[in-house]
Amino acid sequence: MDKSFIIDEDRKRRLGFDEVIYGASKSVTLLLDILKEYTDKKENVLVTKLQEDKAKVLLETYKASFYDAESGIFILTELETSAEGSPKVGIVSAGSSDIGVANEAFYTLEYMGVKSRVIHDVGVAGLHRLLDKIEVLKTFDILIIVAGFEGALPTVVGGLLPQPIIAVPTSVGYGTAKGGETALHAMLSSCANGITVVNIDNGYGAAMSAFRMVKLLERK
Amino acid sequence: MDKSFIIDEDRKRRLGFDEVIYGASKSVTLLLDILKEYTDKKENVLVTKLQEDKAKVLLETYKASFYDAESGIFILTELETSAEGSPKVGIVSAGSSDIGVANEAFYTLEYMGVKSRVIHDVGVAGLHRLLDKIEVLKTFDILIIVAGFEGALPTVVGGLLPQPIIAVPTSVGYGTAKGGETALHAMLSSCANGITVVNIDNGYGAAMSAFRMVKLLERK
Amino acid sequence: MDKSFIIDEDRKRRLGFDEVIYGASKSVTLLLDILKEYTDKKENVLVTKLQEDKAKVLLETYKASFYDAESGIFILTELETSAEGSPKVGIVSAGSSDIGVANEAFYTLEYMGVKSRVIHDVGVAGLHRLLDKIEVLKTFDILIIVAGFEGALPTVVGGLLPQPIIAVPTSVGYGTAKGGETALHAMLSSCANGITVVNIDNGYGAAMSAFRMVKLLERK
Amino acid sequence: MDKSFIIDEDRKRRLGFDEVIYGASKSVTLLLDILKEYTDKKENVLVTKLQEDKAKVLLETYKASFYDAESGIFILTELETSAEGSPKVGIVSAGSSDIGVANEAFYTLEYMGVKSRVIHDVGVAGLHRLLDKIEVLKTFDILIIVAGFEGALPTVVGGLLPQPIIAVPTSVGYGTAKGGETALHAMLSSCANGITVVNIDNGYGAAMSAFRMVKLLERK
Amino acid sequence: MDKSFIIDEDRKRRLGFDEVIYGASKSVTLLLDILKEYTDKKENVLVTKLQEDKAKVLLETYKASFYDAESGIFILTELETSAEGSPKVGIVSAGSSDIGVANEAFYTLEYMGVKSRVIHDVGVAGLHRLLDKIEVLKTFDILIIVAGFEGALPTVVGGLLPQPIIAVPTSVGYGTAKGGETALHAMLSSCANGITVVNIDNGYGAAMSAFRMVKLLERK
Amino acid sequence: MDKSFIIDEDRKRRLGFDEVIYGASKSVTLLLDILKEYTDKKENVLVTKLQEDKAKVLLETYKASFYDAESGIFILTELETSAEGSPKVGIVSAGSSDIGVANEAFYTLEYMGVKSRVIHDVGVAGLHRLLDKIEVLKTFDILIIVAGFEGALPTVVGGLLPQPIIAVPTSVGYGTAKGGETALHAMLSSCANGITVVNIDNGYGAAMSAFRMVKLLERK
Amino acid sequence: MDKSFIIDEDRKRRLGFDEVIYGASKSVTLLLDILKEYTDKKENVLVTKLQEDKAKVLLETYKASFYDAESGIFILTELETSAEGSPKVGIVSAGSSDIGVANEAFYTLEYMGVKSRVIHDVGVAGLHRLLDKIEVLKTFDILIIVAGFEGALPTVVGGLLPQPIIAVPTSVGYGTAKGGETALHAMLSSCANGITVVNIDNGYGAAMSAFRMVKLLERK
Amino acid sequence: MDKSFIIDEDRKRRLGFDEVIYGASKSVTLLLDILKEYTDKKENVLVTKLQEDKAKVLLETYKASFYDAESGIFILTELETSAEGSPKVGIVSAGSSDIGVANEAFYTLEYMGVKSRVIHDVGVAGLHRLLDKIEVLKTFDILIIVAGFEGALPTVVGGLLPQPIIAVPTSVGYGTAKGGETALHAMLSSCANGITVVNIDNGYGAAMSAFRMVKLLERK
């Protein structure tokens, strides 16, 4: 058999960012092989959705690496502090249970060199918590809205604010929440105009979508 | 074969209301047979979800009957005006497309002798339309909230107001709205506390649930 | 990042009850942070669907707290005995496997200061067990009906009794019971009139819906 | 291409009954070809789920044939009256909307020479209608129970009576009734013991299952 | 709270068999309470789908009890050998992975006093294995056909043999087998005539359905 | 806007066959535009799943074109008779209702210059009809097996014969047949070894898969 | 009853665009009422997913209005030509059957005053058609990618180009395409980084999302 | 009870290959019984999807046996090196997470005596990785394409290369990837012509399908 992975070395040239490793389905052995290739090339790399037991092994090998247990984000070498200035992306969560997905977006943006801020627990069942934050939310270029259960938050925010909005359904909830499917479908069916959506629990994808917009702004 | 229907004549004694006819799956012939039995007994009857072509035939036979094409509600004899006084039930719709389901709740309550009021088009994508109505909504004993698409309205209302809330998902929407299934699941997964839900497009059921509460209030 | 939760301190004023913590998706660390805020303010709080291993840690920290393993209900300080007098809410379960959900409704009502009574194991496959209890069931203002498998009990009760009925599907069953989805859909499709439904296993939500009705009765 | 159908002439020897034609997906041309083969052999044949417009053409060609529009049952030559004596199979429907499926079972049994009786509209939301019929139901060897919406009737009957019970879910209902899927799943998940189920709207299949039992009784 | 279970003591009079305990969702404590009630009354009882760890505790308390780990069948006192004579029910499995479900049917029938025989591993992908057994299969009054994956066996048997056939889909398989749902739907959609179906993995239900037929034969 | 279609003129060089037009979702205007481009280039083209009303318009414009109403296959210029010799592909249908899908495979192969033969109505509920054809089926290089309802035919054929087998589920059936989904899942879950599957009703795709194999044989 | 709609007159101030009417579920009478309110205020309005028969009536009343039958877009007064300069948004369709959804995006952007260009029929089954267009695609600020069937186009484009990408699944396809659900899920699961998705057939939503980005660029 | 398995000893004669054991649902005891029968007959056998803990026991008993933990493939006696010459089958994976399924196909082909080669990690989100391999891919007779997430790879390959293509969806992914269902449906809905598909994660089935084609080539 051939080698079991091929690094897409050209990606940065094409897209402006490097390849990222999806950690959930890879064995520790395979991950160590891949990480070695990056360290040999003296490059950093981001791993997503890495389980805690596997992270433990990697952390032993790479002492300087970073791991956030809530989100499963692993970064090969140190996480540099993001650029100075006011945050460009606001990450808004509906409930404190959504912390893992919000963190995934936050650390991915940090890794990509984009400053963001997380505002937690402003779900619409206690509307004033959201209304209290509207002025803050207006200051961001782009909004990432994270919500589980019925996923109503993006609709309300989308009706109040004009920025690009990336909605992230989370798997928080039970029964008819269907592991995030209901929030996903609710966000896609939103009556608010021009909201876009990423996969369930995909904080990483939301961050990358925001990154594409940030780069567009920079090119202008 | 035996006769193809049995009227539950005892229902009023047990439950305080008469049997109702589900019109959608019955042939005109069968409906005429059933209605005849009611006219023979000089009793009124409510038919739900009656298609327009079938209603036309019934209206020709029973000139004094009432039919609302938006909701498919048919009432054998005239619809008496509801009781005097302020409305007990507020029926709130998220969008003007939900009019059929709101009407089904409204006419059922009228038929049951309960006064209600419909407030249309206060969906949360334009939040101020709802906030403008909060003081009015506080005046009702019971709220019926009708919404399609992502069905977010009951969550927001449920976080603002303390009354019993009956949420009715509607089949309005397309794609991931899934014929009302997304609104249904969103309402059942609502972060707001103590909201109850009825079947998709079931304005009739919401009205009957409100009727059970109204009767409880009267018994006290 | 900002603090990861915001307590909705205004909820009692708006709705007549305090915020409740959904325990299933929160880490112990986060739960301890939240509980501390409540103890600092000398307030009680209800946590739902708390797993046993996490409860154990909380119980060590808060010796006076209450935990019911069947339902996962956790209450920060002691559970006061509910008000005197006859119970207002009847909680009826179809099978003894539904005990966890019935308990969730029961303890939530206790916490809210509403007296209720649980009547177990009166599923309709042994109809006389239900018929034997009809006179007792008539004495309650509101009925919460808990059932898994095919979820037929609310239909039969709804055809016999006139009170408001809140049906709770449970995830008890296997195969086509589909983790409670079949009971849910059956209850929503019920031929009985005016039954409302809450999420699968949502004994808490049923209790809160009953609480809204009890408060309405008190306001009258 | 070869001829587009092959008659299973050996079926009667193996199974005790002849082949039956599923009418719904066949063109009139194909049906006429098949029926001609039966008339050439001077044999009768049963066609199921035949749409009315196609039936019309067949009825013009075969004047002596029988067609029931409610069920879509078509029989090539006359339908002989069933055997004398008391009916062996009781066909019980939950609502008058289930008439088409009940008829499909009834006419199939007639065609097979088995006497049955249809008892309509004894759904459990008006329980006394069923309890009034229990003594009659005890007289049948086999029960076919037909129900749409939440499909609760077989559970209640199965808890009261000891005969073999064949449950037939129907597509009557809307929203969460899901075209009969909810009744199907409810019947399969029934808490009553030893109930078996056939496909949605499959009155024909229920009749054939009853026929297999009747033949077993005759062989003994 | 009231006692958490009610034994249906009248069931035997109505149906000819006693109540059975569904073991999967009950805690050991609850099961011990229930079993005690049966031992107090000196009666035997059948428990289904009992997990191995819970069975272990019960077996320590009730040394004379019977437990089959493949099926999860537990019987309070000894399992008497079934009646003499040739077996009435043939239980046919498509693959050796279906052994648990086949055993559930077998031991339930033993418990009910009905003699049966299990014939394993005659799936239609190796058709001759089935054809070799046809003469044996003809000797049974009733056939229970157990199959996972695509569930094709009942169709082939149903086209070859005239007896009542009860098909049991199993959860054996992966991917599109969907935990037994595909076999279930395939059996319900079978082109063979008069096959009935029970819930996924419901060997117990199939046995009880066979028991109803055996009792009918005995009454004649 | 740019022109609304781009013909893939290079496809034949790459794949050995020309582009094919999916007719179902295109307006007559668009189809006429596309066909004109082919006639201008004096090339033939195949259109699949063309509805009868749209075909009628095309047939009026292109008198020499071919249309089969059962399958919806439309061919721009005449359909040449396929190559001499014995047929390479056997197309086997389970029931005569599957004729449209079988025809789609047949005419596609004719158009591609591959000789095939259709053998109808050998479903496994009448097993001898299939066993009678086994010797004929052995003569083909490749088998296309077309079946609706429970889709059991490919499993049985796959257990008896060694050739490449392409299974085509059809949407024939009702209720749990779920528009072909059950046959699809059953075929994918087949216990027979090495069966491959195409989309529901995709006779065209099965033919193209056979064509790829035929070309491979020719290259050798 | 109150008036059946409320115009959100404040939306432009909040979001930078006016309310839009969802036409599919509204009766002609309701639509005429709403349009009258806009003409009274001398304002233009956009209606989406308007069926042809209803559009016909509106077009008779409002002679100067615009209607595109492929997409169902209706605009009350004339559609002004979009701003000068090169197009900002590239709308890319995978197949010519996707024309309706592409048009919905195009006309919405025109109405919002944003210049776009549609590039049709570059699906990845003929990869060179896409590769031929890459240089053109690089010239747009934002890409809207429209695809039905398996919806693979956004993944390939997302791996080649760095701009913000809004993927629109369409309901084009049959069988396992599941009315657009497969394309939707494929796009949400895309291995390409930072792609966002809107509802099935929601060309309007994609355009509004692009509009939010265009406005962000203008504010900078 | 009869013995719980029957070896299909005739399969090799009919199909050219021996029976294979599905390991996932069988207990170690049953597996040991079956393997003993094979060793008694001095025959080799292949076991698929065998879990690691069960494999461990078998490996202790059969020291010479082969086990691959990634795929769960177990082979009773040694795995002989495959035939000399260039590989006939190319197994192409979209990502390195698909290694288990690719290995299942590879080892099955080795066991069947067919030489193949695995080419990893050429998913279309980095298109050049695939385009770099096209010349290699042209050298194989048959292609097995393995992909999870959105499963787009077979469409792109199928549009570029003319060989028979067997697509294998894998369960790699999360959220809307739905355990491989999305990749499965995407592959079945592929716009590329003549692609066939096997069950999710069914590397074994893909190998057997390739084997059927290889045998056909040998017979010619």
Side-chain angles (χ1 to χ4, degrees), chain B residues 14 159 163 193 204 212 220, chain C residues 14 159 163 193 204 212:
Chain B
R14 291 195 319 273
Q163 298 104 310
N193 301 277
Y204 164 74
R212 284 176 180 263
K220 291 285 145 174
Chain C
R14 290 194 323 271
Q163 297 105 308
N193 301 276
Y204 165 73
R212 285 176 180 263

Side-chain angles (χ1 to χ4, degrees), chain B residues 11 14-15 17 141 158-163 188 193-194 196-199 204-205 208-209 212-213 216-217 220, chain C residues 11 14-15 17 141 158-163 188 193-194 196-199 204-205 208-209 212-213 217 220:
Chain B
R11 189 167 293 184
R14 291 195 319 273
L15 302 182
F17 51 84
D141 286 350
L160 293 170
L161 293 171
Q163 298 104 310
L188 286 163
N193 301 277
T196 58
V197 186
V198 295
N199 196 1
Y204 164 74
M208 292 308 291
S209 167
R212 284 176 180 263
M213 296 180 203
L216 173 63
L217 285 167
K220 291 285 145 174
Chain C
R11 190 166 291 184
R14 290 194 323 271
L15 302 182
F17 51 84
D141 286 349
L160 292 170
L161 292 170
Q163 297 105 308
L188 286 163
N193 301 276
T196 59
V197 186
V198 295
N199 195 1
Y204 165 73
M208 291 308 291
S209 168
R212 285 176 180 263
M213 295 180 204
L217 285 167
K220 290 285 143 173

Side-chain angles (χ1 to χ4, degrees), chain H residues 154-173:
Chain H
T155 293
V156 176
V157 175
L160 292 170
L161 293 171
Q163 297 104 309
I165 291 175
I166 303 155
V168 193
T170 73
S171 55
V172 174

Side-chain angles (χ1 to χ4, degrees), chain D residues 40-119:
Chain D
D40 287 357
K41 292 191 300 181
K42 296 197 188 310
E43 287 185 5
N44 199 1
V45 71
L46 180 76
V47 181
T48 62
K49 305 220 180 288
L50 188 66
Q51 296 90 339
E52 233 170 325
D53 56 330
K54 285 153 64 178
K56 228 169 151 177
V57 183
L58 302 197
L59 286 164
E60 276 164 24
T61 312
Y62 297 98
K63 307 289 189 195
S65 59
F66 169 90
Y67 180 68
D68 171 59
E70 297 276 9
S71 61
I73 283 284
F74 176 94
I75 299 170
L76 183 51
T77 65
E78 78 266 36
L79 181 65
E80 291 167 46
T81 49
S82 61
E84 297 262 312
S86 60
K88 289 198 173 64
V89 181
I91 302 168
V92 185
S93 91
S96 53
S97 297
D98 300 319
I99 189 170
V101 177
N103 279 10
E104 189 177 288
F106 177 80
Y107 289 118
T108 298
L109 285 169
E110 288 286 296
Y111 176 80
M112 305 303 291
V114 176
K115 188 161 189 159
S116 72
R117 177 174 161 200
V118 181
I119 292 171

Side-chain angles (χ1 to χ4, degrees), chain H residues 65-146:
Chain H
S65 58
F66 168 90
Y67 179 67
D68 171 60
E70 297 276 9
S71 60
I73 282 284
F74 175 94
I75 299 170
L76 184 51
T77 65
E78 77 267 38
L79 180 65
E80 293 166 46
T81 49
S82 61
E84 297 261 312
S86 58
K88 288 198 174 66
V89 181
I91 302 168
V92 185
S93 90
S96 52
S97 296
D98 300 319
I99 189 169
V101 178
N103 279 10
E104 189 178 289
F106 177 80
Y107 288 117
T108 299
L109 284 168
E110 288 285 298
Y111 176 79
M112 305 303 291
V114 175
K115 188 161 189 159
S116 71
R117 176 174 162 201
V118 181
I119 293 170
H120 275 295
D121 208 11
V122 295
V124 293
L127 196 62
H128 63 98
R129 294 180 303 180
L130 173 64
L131 298 179
D132 288 354
K133 300 284 184 186
I134 286 294
E135 289 311 310
V136 179
L137 297 186
K138 280 184 181 166
T139 66
F140 303 113
D141 287 349
I142 299 153
L143 294 170
I144 292 174
I145 313 286
V146 180

